[in-house]
């Protein structure tokens, strides 16, 4: 039997606590251009919130690395002559291990757009041969429309047909295909029955981060009902370390009132976002009143750079007519 002396025990405790204090992680990645070639001598900045932590440049193989990074939420900002400035999303860096943050730069005159509907995985739109339209959060906010159907009206090759006033049945026809030939995905989950249509009149813009419309058949990835096209709807995620609470309200004639309240943020590996909106109008004709209440929630856990566990929930309550 060996007896641990008090002095030895104290030294072991000191070493263990020191290892916990000084345990730090590594952030690394590769910077590439729209065609997949590496970009050397690009300036890479590791940021935490609005603060710059460290700077480096990519090597001849396009890679960069930051060592001795304490645990927390970080993102990288990249700049290089001839390319558009890049600022990535926050990722949680563990006190041990390596976190990978690969970066795809776009030419400065081209908008940085990533799509998934054509290939099933994230690919720059410049590398996709199919006809894809991406309506991002900035476009949705600039257009300031109440419903997704109003944003889809701006897409070339897509036709929105609505019966009656607001709330009436609404169908989407892509390049002349039947409305039942479209696959509608919300956060990657099919939202219409196989071979069935989808009523866009009930889908508000509350909690919608982006709309991706693929025009053309993609039944190989999404099934036989994706003969005309695919609409992929992505909901908003929380990104700010400080919880962000928003309330908006507006109204007009015919008893129209629209209001929404949302709460979102991120803490270590977790992010959260919830929004509830309500729209009411009496309409301009008898029995044309419309009510739409919408709740959308997006809750995620990212234990490491390659794993994303996410729960999304969306529900609509609608009334139309008398």
């Amino acid at each position: 039997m060996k007896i641990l002396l008090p002095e030895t025990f104290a030294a072991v405790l000191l070493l263990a606590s020191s290892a916990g204090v000084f345990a730090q992680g590594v952030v690394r990645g590769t910077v590439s251009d729209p065609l997949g070639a590496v970009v050397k001598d690009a300036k890479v900045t590791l940021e935490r919130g609005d603060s710059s932590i460290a700077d480096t440049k990519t090597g001849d193989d396009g890679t960069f690395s930051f060592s001795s990074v304490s645990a927390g939420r970080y993102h990288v900002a990249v700049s290089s002559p001839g390319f558009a400035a890049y600022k990535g999303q926050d990722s949680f860096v563990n006190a041990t291990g390596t976190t990978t943050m690969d970066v795809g730069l776009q030419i400065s005159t081209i908008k940085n757009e990533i799509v998934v509907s054509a290939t099933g995985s994230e690919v720059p739109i410049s590398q996709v041969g199919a006809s894809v339209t991406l309506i991002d959060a900035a476009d949705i906010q600039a257009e300031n429309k109440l419903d997704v159907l109003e944003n889809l009206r701006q897409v070339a090759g897509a036709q929105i047909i609505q019966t009656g006033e607001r709330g009436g049945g609404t169908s989407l026809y892509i390049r002349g295909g039947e409305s039942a030939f479209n696959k509608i995905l919300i956060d990657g989950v099919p939202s219409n029955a196989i071979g069935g249509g989808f009523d866009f009149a009930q889908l508000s813009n509350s909690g919608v981060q982006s709309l991706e419309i693929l025009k053309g058949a993609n039944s190989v990835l999404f099934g036989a009902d994706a003969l005309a096209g695919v609409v992929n709807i992505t909901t908003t995620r929380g990104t700010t370390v400080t919880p962000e609470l928003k309330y908006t309200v507006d109204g007009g004639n015919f008893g129209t009132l629209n209001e929404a309240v949302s709460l979102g943020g991120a803490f270590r590996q977790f992010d959260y976002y919830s929004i509830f909106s309500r729209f009411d109008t009496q309409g301009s004709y008898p029995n044309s009143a419309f009510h739409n209440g919408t709740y959308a929630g997006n809750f995620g856990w990212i234990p490491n750079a390659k794993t994303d566990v996410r729960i999304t929930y969306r529900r609509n309550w609608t009334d139309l007519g008398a």
Side-chain angles (χ1 to χ4, degrees):
M1 176 183 292
K2 294 183 178 180
I3 300 176
L4 194 65
L5 298 177
E7 295 82 357
T8 308
F9 184 69
V12 171
L13 288 179
L14 180 60
L15 289 174
S17 62
S18 298
V21 170
F22 293 104
Q24 294 178 318
V26 175
V27 175
R28 62 179 53 171
T30 302
V31 178
S32 57
D33 65 13
L35 299 180
V38 298
V39 179
K40 66 177 183 178
D41 294 329
K43 181 181 178 181
V44 183
T45 304
L46 182 66
E47 297 181 349
R48 186 171 188 175
D50 296 329
S51 302
S52 176
I53 305 301
D55 293 327
T56 188
K57 286 190 175 183
T58 57
D60 292 339
D61 57 354
T63 61
F64 63 89
S65 178
F66 296 98
S67 58
S68 302
V69 180
S70 58
R73 297 183 69 88
Y74 297 87
H75 63 266
V76 293
V78 182
S79 60
S80 181
F83 294 95
Y86 173 90
K87 186 174 183 179
Q89 294 184 346
D90 283 350
S91 295
F92 182 78
V93 177
N94 288 304
T96 59
T98 300
T99 301
T100 303
M101 298 183 183
D102 292 330
V103 175
L105 296 180
Q106 298 293 318
I107 306 301
S108 57
T109 57
I110 299 179
K111 194 174 182 180
N112 184 12
E113 296 179 336
I114 304 295
V115 297
V116 299
S117 59
T119 61
S121 59
E122 294 185 354
V123 176
I125 198 169
S126 59
Q127 298 181 18
V128 177
S131 178
V132 182
T133 299
L134 180 65
I135 304 175
D136 59 18
D139 295 330
I140 293 175
Q141 184 175 4
E143 293 179 8
N144 195 28
K145 303 295 185 182
L146 287 172
D147 303 315
V148 168
L149 69 91
E150 299 296 342
N151 298 112
L152 294 177
R153 292 187 191 274
Q154 316 300 321
V155 178
Q159 186 176 18
I160 287 286
I161 303 296
Q162 185 171 25
T163 58
E165 296 194 5
R166 184 175 294 277
T170 304
S171 300
L172 170 66
Y173 299 85
I174 297 179
R175 291 183 172 178
E178 290 290 340
S179 60
F181 290 172
N182 303 316
K183 193 71 172 182
I184 313 301
L185 307 172
I186 299 180
D187 289 321
V189 179
S191 298
N192 56 330
I194 295 177
F198 185 86
D199 186 5
F200 283 92
Q202 320 304 324
L203 187 60
S204 74
N205 264 332
S206 299
V208 174
Q209 176 73 17
S210 65
L211 302 171
E212 185 181 326
I213 304 94
L214 182 142
K215 292 162 284 186
N218 203 354
S219 55
V220 173
L221 288 179
F222 300 104
D225 52 338
L227 293 177
V230 178
V231 178
N232 186 30
I233 301 165
T234 304
T235 58
T236 304
R237 300 182 182 185
T239 58
T240 58
V241 177
T242 302
E244 188 175 48
L245 178 65
K246 291 183 179 181
Y247 174 75
T248 60
V249 59
D250 57 84
N253 54 3
F254 303 115
T256 301
L257 179 65
N258 179 46
E259 52 187 337
V261 59
S262 65
L263 175 66
F267 176 73
R268 297 178 71 84
Q269 296 112 313
F270 299 92
D271 61 82
Y272 54 92
Y273 182 83
S274 287
I275 183 171
F276 177 77
S277 66
R278 174 168 178 160
F279 174 80
D280 292 278
T281 182
Q282 295 301 316
S284 56
Y285 296 99
N287 298 328
S288 62
F290 178 63
H291 161 77
N292 187 339
T294 298
Y295 170 78
N298 191 324
F299 309 92
W301 174 49
I302 307 177
N304 55 62
K306 296 183 178 180
T307 306
D308 187 347
V309 180
R310 191 158 300 278
I311 297 175
T312 62
Y313 180 79
R314 187 178 187 92
R315 178 158 183 179
N316 297 68
W317 298 265
T318 58
D319 294 300
L320 176 67

